[in-house]
Amino acid sequence: MTEEIKSDLTVKIEDALLQLRPFFEADGGNMELAEITNEGVAKIRLVGACADCSMSEMTLRSGVEEAIKKVAPEITAVEAVL
């Protein structure tokens, strides 16, 4: 994956995260894009209350991954990182 493609995907993913951010902030947490790998995996860092939440994996799969893949179908997977 070229740097130009990664840059374009970063903008799309950041926009998707911006739309979700108020829901995370309401619970005392947040998230950030840590990396996009050459294999098309978006690595998301959950911070604040979200980092330790028992529901974070489900939130990542059902909310964040869905939103990211909607705006960036090139993304093959979404993973949480510390």
Side-chain angles (χ1 to χ4, degrees):
M1 183 175 293
T2 68
E3 288 305 313
E4 185 177 335
I5 292 172
K6 281 186 180 181
S7 178
D8 184 50
L9 288 174
T10 297
V11 170
K12 291 178 182 179
I13 292 170
E14 290 290 353
D15 186 51
L17 296 181
L18 185 64
Q19 301 298 317
L20 295 172
R21 190 158 280 123
F23 301 105
F24 282 74
E25 290 173 341
D27 289 330
N30 210 333
M31 68 201 144
E32 56 191 35
L33 177 63
E35 174 187 7
I36 300 172
T37 70
N38 288 331
E39 295 76 28
V41 177
K43 298 197 175 199
I44 304 295
R45 181 174 295 111
L46 299 174
V47 296
C50 295
D52 299 325
C53 177
S54 62
M55 300 299 287
S56 64
E57 188 63 33
M58 187 169 67
T59 300
L60 191 69
R61 294 284 162 246
S62 65
V64 178
E65 183 171 32
E66 185 177 309
I68 288 174
K69 286 185 172 183
K70 187 174 184 178
V71 299
E74 306 90 337
I75 295 299
T76 59
V78 175
E79 296 177 359
V81 294
L82 299 175

